[in-house]
């Protein structure tokens, strides 16, 4: 069998970082990604393309989106080369310094096995690799992003901290030296300008700066997003000994042979066929790194735990949805009571955030802290929103327009100009023009447990365990809406079905200072299972608070350093 020094399973924020770092250190690395590659221009936009853009190989679907749904929680995940970076909203923000702790049910606070000072050098490295840039709201045409201005205004009225966010998006044609210096006039932000990439990228594709189209979460066809395939994996492809990157390769099982090698069994999918036609293959590795996402890694370890007795009783515990809650600010109005122009289709999906303090911050704050970030969406969703929100009025306008055509046809109306009539047919567009989603995330309680029921993964997590956090989030959402003369609306899953939908599932393979308290050490290595590593959101022992991508990548960078050094010493 073909042998590698390390096999990495999954190409998200943990897997891509580990792949690059290990290959850079001279290891022979194989990256197995179950999804396919998405060069610029390949993300679907048509109804038929979007219909096919889900992940279910048994039905012949090999698209990006996967949905895990359980009674109390559901999660949106991604399959594809670059993992979650293909569909996330680009936010790379550090975990708050005082939030590196979690509270047990008995009220005792337990610190994480790593802290902010430990991670800061790794945060620096990842930010540089991802070409992080602050949203340039102070420069045209980016200063016309009305949802950003609305959030800034709401924060001022409510007395909360507001900040422009660091994003993995190219607003400037050249890489930035320090994203905290937004006034670099030698490298100004530009709309739709060609990107300067002297070393190219793994797709040999031309890229441009952000076009403010609001399509970040459905894949950026212009290459403005600095996704992991354009950053870490492209850098890995330029190495003297690049990793072997295999797409449409889904790992099914693994164990350790008597000689200490990991045997990794996977199937190779083929588009146009179902998983029943997948070809089984097998490779071996000296080190095995699982980075298949929280649910993917939990599922693989639970399915294969009999081969790894060191996994212990903590596997599957401390699941968290990172306090995620998607809601909506509807029909904002100005001081005159008229529709307030928001146009959430203009700009990146997320640009700024309101931060609500945590009791850990001191200063009289109470409860658990959270962030509320402005949201956006692509133009075609604005059409759907407008249609869904005003069906009776749509019918009335259609009737009026049909009557106008009929009068012209039979000669009772001699005016041939239909421009104004067509404009009226579209309607006033108040809902789509004055509304925008907001995404909150914070420090929920990591009380969930993932297990197997037969061949299926289950997750027992209850919203009630974090009810105080969600109450505070919804209260803040109502106040934001009120400050903008708008109405606040929870998403239907949360309001009617008591289900929290998250984009950031975390936990199940928690880091800990010692065995019996978690699954992996502070270096990402499974206790009592040398050479077996986990490097994705499942290692987080609790919520990050803000968006977790940067913290996951920083931890993976730290894990890689340890793996490399320990291998040199052995």
């Amino acid at each position: 069998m073909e042998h590698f020094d390390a096999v990495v399973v999954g190409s998200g924020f943990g897997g891509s970082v580990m792949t690059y770092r290990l290959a850079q250190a001279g290891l022979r690395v194989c990256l197995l990604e179950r999804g396919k590659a998405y060069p610029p221009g390949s993300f679907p936009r048509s109804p038929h393309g979007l219909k096919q853009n889900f992940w279910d190989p048994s039905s012949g679907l090999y698209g990006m989106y996967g949905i895990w749904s359980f009674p109390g929680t559901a999660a949106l995940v991604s399959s594809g080369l670059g993992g979650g970076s293909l569909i996330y909203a680009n936010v790379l923000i550090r975990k708050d310094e005082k939030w590196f702790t979690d509270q047990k049910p008995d009220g005792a606070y337990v610190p994480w096995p790593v802290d902010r000072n430990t991670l800061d050098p790794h945060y620096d490295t990842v930010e540089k690799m991802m070409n992080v840039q602050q949203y340039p709201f102070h420069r045209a045409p980016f200063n016309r992003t009305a949802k950003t201005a609305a959030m800034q205004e709401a924060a001022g009225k409510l007395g909360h901290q507001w900040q422009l966010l660091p994003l993995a998006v190219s607003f400037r044609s050249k890489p930035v030296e320090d994203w905290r210096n937004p006034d670099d006039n030698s490298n100004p932000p530009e709309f739709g300008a060609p990107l300067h990439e002297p070393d190219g990228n793994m797709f040999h594709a031309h890229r441009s700066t952000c076009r403010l189209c609001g399509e970040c979460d459905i894949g950026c066809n212009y290459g403005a997003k600095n996704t992991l395939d354009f950053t870490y994996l492209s850098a890995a492809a330029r190495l003297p000994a690049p990793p072997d990157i295999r797409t449409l390769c889904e790992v099914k099982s693994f164990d350790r042979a008597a000689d200490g090698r990991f045997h990794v069994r996977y199937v190779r999918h083929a588009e146009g066929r179902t998983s029943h036609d997948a070809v089984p293959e097998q490779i071996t590795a000296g080190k095995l790194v699982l980075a298949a996402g929280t649910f993917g890694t939990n599922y693989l370890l639970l399915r294969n735990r009999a081969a790894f007795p060191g996994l212990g009783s903590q596997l599957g515990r401390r699941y968290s949805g990172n306090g995620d809650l998607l809601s909506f600010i509807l029909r904002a109005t100005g001081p005159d009571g008229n529709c307030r122009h928001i146009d959430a289709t203009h700009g990146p999906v997320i640009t700024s955030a309101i931060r609500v303090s945590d009791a850990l911050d001191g200063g009289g704050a109470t409860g658990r802290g959270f962030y509320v970030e402005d949201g956006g969406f692509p133009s075609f969703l604005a059409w759907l929103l407008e249609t869904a929100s005003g069906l009776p009025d749509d019918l009335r306008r259609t009737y009026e327009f049909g009557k106008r055509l009929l009068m012209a046809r039979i000669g009772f109306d001699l005016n041939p100009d239909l421009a104004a009539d067509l404009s009226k047919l579209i309607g006033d567009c108040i809902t789509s023009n004055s509304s925008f989603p907001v995404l909150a995330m914070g420090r929920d309680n990591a009380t969930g447990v993932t297990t197997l029921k037969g061949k299926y993964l289950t997750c027992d997590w209850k919203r009630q365990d974090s009810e105080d956090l969600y109450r505070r989030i919804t209260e803040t959402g109502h106040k934001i809406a009120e400050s903008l003369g708008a109405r606040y609306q929870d998403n239907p899953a949360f309001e009617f079905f008591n289900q929290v939908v998250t984009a950031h599932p975390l936990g199940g393979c928690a880091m800990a200072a010692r065995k019996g308290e978690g699954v992996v050490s502070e270096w990402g290595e499974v206790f009592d299972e040398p050479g077996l590593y986990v490097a994705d959101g499942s290692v987080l022992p609790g919520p990050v608070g803000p968006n977790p991508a940067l913290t996951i990548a920083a931890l993976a960078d730290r894990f890689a350093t340890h793996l490399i050094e320990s291998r040199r010493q052995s």
Side-chain angles (χ1 to χ4, degrees), residues 152-166:
Q152 184 180 24
E153 177 185 320
K157 290 180 177 178
L158 300 176
H160 290 307
Q161 176 188 345
W162 174 84
Q163 62 191 96
L164 292 169
L165 292 170

Side-chain angles (χ1 to χ4, degrees), residues 220-565:
C220 179
N221 274 324
Y222 305 107
K225 285 182 69 169
N226 301 322
T227 48
L228 293 162
D229 47 353
F230 288 128
T231 53
Y232 276 95
L233 296 181
S234 285
R238 294 191 293 266
L239 293 171
D244 185 340
I245 298 176
R246 303 181 183 182
T247 56
L248 289 172
C249 290
E250 184 176 13
V251 171
K252 294 295 187 180
S253 65
F254 44 84
D255 55 31
R256 195 196 304 267
D259 61 3
R261 294 185 175 191
F262 293 94
H263 286 232
V264 182
R265 289 168 285 275
Y266 63 95
V267 295
R268 188 181 293 271
H269 294 294
E271 288 192 83
R273 300 182 180 182
T274 68
S275 57
H276 303 293
D277 301 314
V279 179
E281 299 186 11
Q282 186 174 176
I283 55 179
T284 63
K287 308 286 186 183
L288 177 59
V289 181
L290 299 179
T294 291
F295 286 133
T297 292
N298 273 272
Y299 179 74
L300 285 172
L301 285 174
L302 287 165
R303 283 288 301 268
N304 295 277
R305 73 182 306 168
F308 300 96
L311 283 170
S313 62
Q314 293 299 307
L315 178 61
R317 297 187 176 276
R318 296 174 78 169
Y319 168 82
S320 159
N322 202 49
D324 279 18
L325 180 62
L326 174 67
S327 49
F328 305 91
I329 307 297
L330 300 177
R331 299 174 76 92
T333 58
D336 58 1
N338 292 324
C339 168
R340 174 171 181 154
H341 174 73
I342 297 291
D343 189 11
T345 67
H346 181 72
V349 167
I350 292 176
T351 63
S352 69
I354 290 173
R355 182 185 185 276
V356 179
S357 297
D358 189 290
L360 295 173
D361 298 328
T366 59
R368 290 180 169 239
F370 56 93
Y371 287 71
V372 182
E373 300 170 353
D374 62 74
F377 45 79
S379 295
F380 72 84
L381 285 182
W383 288 95
L384 294 177
L385 175 63
E386 199 61 43
T387 300
S389 64
L391 185 58
D393 200 42
D394 293 342
L395 295 174
R396 180 190 59 77
R397 294 196 309 273
T398 302
Y399 167 75
E400 293 293 337
F401 184 71
K403 184 173 71 172
R404 167 75 167 82
L405 287 180
L406 178 62
M407 296 296 284
R409 174 63 66 90
I410 63 179
F412 286 102
D413 191 333
L414 301 179
N415 183 2
D417 187 353
L418 295 177
D421 299 279
L422 285 168
S423 178
K424 291 178 182 178
L425 177 62
I426 295 174
D428 55 25
C429 305
I430 289 178
T431 300
S432 60
N433 185 46
S434 61
S435 306
F436 64 102
V438 289
L439 178 62
M441 60 199 77
R443 295 200 323 109
D444 64 346
N445 284 297
T447 55
V449 179
T450 61
T451 56
L452 282 184
K453 183 175 291 186
K455 64 178 182 178
Y456 296 107
L457 187 74
T458 65
C459 181
D460 182 14
W461 181 89
K462 296 179 177 63
R463 165 181 155 185
Q464 290 82 353
D465 293 340
S466 301
E467 195 61 42
D468 182 64
L469 170 71
Y470 287 108
R471 177 186 57 77
R472 296 181 70 222
I473 289 175
T474 55
E475 286 177 354
T476 301
H478 279 284
K479 291 177 181 177
I480 292 172
E482 183 180 351
S483 73
L484 299 174
R487 179 169 62 88
Y488 175 83
Q489 178 65 56
D490 284 318
N491 71 73
F494 184 84
E495 184 175 14
F496 299 115
F497 302 107
N498 208 29
Q499 184 185 55
V500 173
V501 180
T502 178
H504 308 122
L506 307 172
C509 304
M511 287 187 299
R514 60 190 64 85
K515 187 178 180 181
E517 297 177 357
V519 176
V520 304
S521 71
E522 63 175 296
W523 305 108
E525 191 170 19
V526 175
F527 289 112
D528 294 342
E529 294 292 349
L532 178 60
Y533 286 78
V534 180
D536 56 23
S538 68
V539 303
L540 298 179
V544 173
N547 314 64
L550 182 62
T551 296
I552 294 169
L555 284 169
D557 189 69
R558 186 171 185 267
F559 297 167
T561 298
H562 171 74
L563 192 158
I564 293 165
E565 291 177 351

Side-chain angles (χ1 to χ4, degrees), residues 1 8 16 27 35 42 53 77 94 106 141 164 181 200 202 251 297 392 394 400 500 522 547:
M1 279 182 287
V8 180
S16 288
L27 278 69
S42 65
N53 203 19
V77 300
R94 302 186 184 201
D106 62 6
L164 292 169
N181 179 23
M202 68 186 305
V251 171
T297 292
D394 293 342
E400 293 293 337
V500 173
E522 63 175 296
N547 314 64

Side-chain angles (χ1 to χ4, degrees), residues 212-223:
L212 304 176
C213 62
E215 297 181 353
C216 308
D217 290 349
I218 57 174
C220 179
N221 274 324
Y222 305 107

Side-chain angles (χ1 to χ4, degrees), residues 11-150:
S11 63
F13 285 97
S16 288
V17 172
M18 291 289 282
T19 296
Y20 168 70
R21 287 292 315 281
L22 299 183
Q24 184 188 40
L27 278 69
R28 187 164 182 255
V29 181
C30 179
L31 171 62
L32 299 174
E33 166 56 53
R34 72 177 186 174
K36 57 188 179 183
Y38 289 89
S42 65
F43 296 102
R45 293 293 184 265
S46 69
H48 179 265
L50 292 174
K51 168 185 168 63
Q52 299 296 316
N53 203 19
F54 294 92
W55 178 262
D56 185 355
S58 64
S59 301
L61 296 173
Y62 298 99
M64 288 194 300
Y65 298 105
I67 307 293
W68 295 80
S69 183
F70 309 101
T73 185
L76 175 67
V77 300
S78 175
S79 295
L81 191 63
S85 74
L86 299 175
I87 66 169
Y88 83 140
N90 320 303
V91 180
L92 294 181
I93 187 170
R94 302 186 184 201
K95 181 174 173 67
D96 296 69
E97 184 175 359
K98 294 183 178 180
W99 293 10
F100 278 83
T101 185
D102 282 297
Q103 194 174 17
K104 287 185 173 182
D106 62 6
Y109 281 99
V110 180
W112 283 25
V114 296
D115 58 20
R116 175 66 176 267
N117 288 335
T118 302
L119 280 189
D120 270 337
H122 303 284
Y123 280 140
D124 291 340
T125 299
V126 175
E127 288 173 350
K128 191 75 172 175
M129 286 291 294
M130 297 295 288
N131 190 20
V132 168
Q133 302 179 28
Q134 186 182 74
Y135 185 61
F137 185 54
H138 60 295
R139 306 284 283 268
F142 307 97
N143 58 359
R144 294 194 291 272
T145 312
K147 61 174 183 168
T148 312

